Amino acid sequence: MSLETQNFETQAVRTQTEKTQFLEHSTPMYLTSGFVFEDSEEMRAAFAEEKQRDLYSRYSNPNTNEFVTKMCRLEGAEDGFAFATGMAAVYSTFAALLDAGDHIVSCRSVFGATHALFTKYFPKWNIETSYFPVNDVDSVENLIQPNTKIIYAESPTNPGVDVLDLERLGAIAKKHNILLVIDNCFATPYLQNPIKFGADLVIHSATKLIDGQGRVLGGVTVGRKELIREIYLFSRITGPAMSPFNAWVLSKSLETLAVRADRHCENALKLAEFLESHPKVNWVKYPFLPSHPQYEIAKKQMKSGGNIVAFEVKGGVQGGKTFFDSIEMCSLSANLGDTRTIVTHPASTTHSKLADEDKQVVGITNGMVRCSVGLEHIDDIIEDIEQALLEI
Ligand SMILES: *Cc1c(COP(=O)(O)O)cnc(C)c1O
């Protein structure tokens, strides 16, 4: 059986890059900052990159190599680099590829810290960002300038779970010869492979569904070899590398991603269907509900709808607060993609300082709740959410 024809689950379980002295069945952890050499010639060849081998764990390590190799196979990518966090992956990818004065075209709705990079930090280097709305991918063409270097998007988006047409974005990027970078965190490589649709680079916060158990932070960028080379050279100098311990945990986590994701998605769809008929709920958004505005696109590019369900409870901010305070089992937390179901109410917490019109721009309404559906029994998840809805 050739490696290339193996299915996703097999690749996730069977990709092992190290053969060790003791032939451990499970890859051991290589907690070492550096590696030794036989003689000056070996060391010279390694530093001159004539010989592929580990030198120092800021550059590479057997555990991060295994994690990155797995991620590349699962995303259909040529090469990759692993980072300490998802934000280190996002920042380093931009910083390695952009020059002062370059321009980004980004989806309006992106992860909060990514948005802060665009608005607070990149302008320091005269890097400006123009935004397109989630429901109008075609408008990207009108925003492109001669200095546009990167088109950036997430799909599904956070927290609105909108879906962007990746094939269309890929075609626009190709036509204008601009890089397409996709944050694929919400979908994971199991549900969606943006490279198939024309993405040059794919970024993940491995902290979310890739770990899937709320334990460690991590990030990874995978994609075209020559771009990863630039990202690698930047990162080996600036030092955002993933720790070997986290790489070991995350490589193990990938072995169970497919079975976890299947159950996450099954539970999320059942919760979305339950909420859709509930009298205390104004609307529900879930990519695999036929009522979702981009349902057809979601069906085309995703294997399943993911684990995030957005919905609006009746009663505005107060309704949302009452719902939130009445939750008994689910966790009130800001993380997502954990085994535990997590609910957040952006309007009274993370986004409470935004004016109503600014909330609208990022897709947040006052009664909106974001639920990261976990792996508890679906009947127990629904029971908790239902009793909280009845308190409103
Ligand atoms: C969480 C998240 C990030 C940042 O990842 P960290 O590991 O927390 O640094 C980036 N993008 C998306 C879509 C996320 O959900």
Side-chain angles (χ1 to χ4, degrees):
M1 183 173 21
S2 88
L3 291 180
E4 285 67 38
T5 59
Q6 282 179 354
N7 290 294
F8 183 99
E9 291 80 350
T10 313
Q11 292 184 337
V13 171
R14 287 282 165 187
T15 302
Q16 273 182 305
T17 52
E18 303 300 322
K19 275 249 182 303
T20 66
Q21 183 187 356
F22 300 107
L23 298 176
E24 295 95 332
H25 195 194
S26 165
T27 304
M29 220 186 282
Y30 296 88
L31 290 183
T32 178
S33 41
F35 301 84
V36 291
F37 300 87
E38 287 293 331
D39 51 30
S40 61
E41 170 50 24
E42 196 194 4
M43 198 157 171
R44 184 205 61 78
F47 273 88
E49 295 192 69
E50 289 164 17
K51 198 172 167 202
Q52 272 281 325
R53 54 155 289 168
D54 297 309
L55 285 170
Y56 189 54
S57 290
R58 168 150 45 83
Y59 301 3
S60 71
N61 170 283
N63 290 119
T64 49
N65 295 346
E66 180 177 289
F67 173 66
V68 168
T69 303
K70 243 185 224 187
M71 284 301 300
C72 288
R73 295 186 70 194
L74 301 181
E75 281 289 13
E78 292 171 354
D79 205 354
F81 190 81
F83 298 89
T85 67
M87 280 321 298
V90 173
Y91 171 71
S92 304
T93 299
F94 281 112
L97 300 176
L98 293 181
D99 291 315
D102 281 344
H103 176 245
I104 302 165
V105 174
S106 168
C107 167
R108 166 67 68 190
S109 177
V110 291
F111 186 67
T114 306
H115 190 255
L117 281 181
F118 293 161
T119 51
K120 187 162 177 212
Y121 293 103
F122 289 168
K124 292 208 295 189
W125 299 294
N126 198 19
I127 294 168
E128 299 297 333
T129 306
S130 305
Y131 302 96
F132 65 95
V134 288
N135 58 2
D136 190 7
V137 165
D138 286 331
S139 66
V140 168
E141 289 210 89
N142 306 327
L143 298 173
I144 291 173
Q145 305 173 6
N147 59 341
T148 306
K149 193 87 152 275
I150 288 177
I151 299 173
Y152 186 80
E154 297 172 11
S155 183
T157 61
N158 181 19
V161 278
D162 277 291
V163 174
L164 278 77
D165 188 337
L166 296 179
E167 194 171 13
R168 182 80 194 107
L169 275 178
I172 294 171
K174 187 154 189 233
K175 178 174 155 198
H176 295 272
N177 199 21
I178 296 168
L179 298 177
L180 177 62
V181 181
I182 299 292
D183 181 335
N184 200 28
C185 170
F186 271 35
T188 81
Y190 181 60
L191 302 183
Q192 167 176 290
N193 294 132
I195 289 172
K196 272 194 206 142
F197 302 104
D200 298 288
L201 292 169
V202 174
I203 298 177
H204 284 280
S205 165
T207 313
K208 312 295 167 54
L209 285 153
I210 290 177
D211 175 48
Q213 289 143 90
R215 301 168 298 184
V216 300
L217 296 162
V220 64
T221 301
V222 299
R224 275 172 40 204
K225 208 174 182 61
E226 72 275 18
L227 300 174
I228 295 295
R229 173 80 186 154
E230 292 303 317
I231 294 165
Y232 164 74
L233 290 174
F234 176 82
S235 301
R236 67 181 243 175
I237 298 298
T238 54
M242 177 180 280
S243 87
F245 175 79
N246 286 13
W248 181 85
V249 171
L250 291 165
S251 185
K252 285 265 143 223
S253 299
L254 283 174
E255 295 180 21
T256 58
L257 175 62
V259 282
R260 286 187 285 108
D262 278 341
R263 181 62 67 83
H264 274 294
C265 293
E266 187 187 319
N267 281 355
L269 181 60
K270 282 185 186 154
L271 176 67
E273 284 167 350
F274 162 79
L275 291 169
E276 201 159 45
S277 61
H278 199 282
K280 291 281 175 72
V281 173
N282 287 333
W283 53 256
V284 184
K285 247 162 97 189
Y286 182 69
F288 268 39
L289 275 186
S291 59
H292 189 285
Q294 297 102 21
Y295 173 68
E296 293 303 330
I297 299 168
K299 280 276 183 184
K300 188 180 79 179
Q301 67 192 27
M302 296 176 76
K303 183 184 172 82
S304 202
N307 84 314
I308 309 291
V309 179
F311 58 101
E312 187 185 64
V313 299
K314 296 234 153 91
V317 176
Q318 192 49 50
K321 268 186 162 159
T322 305
F323 171 80
F324 207 50
D325 289 337
S326 307
I327 284 289
E328 288 172 3
M329 177 190 78
C330 298
S331 312
L332 315 182
S333 173
N335 193 24
L336 59 93
D338 199 319
T339 51
R340 295 163 186 80
T341 298
I342 294 168
V343 289
T344 50
H345 179 228
S348 71
T349 58
T350 49
H351 293 73
S352 62
K353 292 197 176 64
L354 288 192
D356 275 359
E357 53 269 35
D358 293 332
K359 278 186 229 156
Q360 295 277 293
V361 167
V362 289
I364 292 166
T365 64
N366 285 330
M368 179 180 157
V369 175
R370 185 191 75 187
C371 183
S372 165
V373 183
L375 300 180
E376 304 95 337
H377 196 287
I378 184 60
D379 292 350
D380 296 324
I381 298 171
I382 288 178
E383 187 181 318
D384 190 27
I385 288 184
E386 181 170 35
Q387 65 79 25
L389 285 172
L390 294 176
E391 295 295 323
I392 296 172

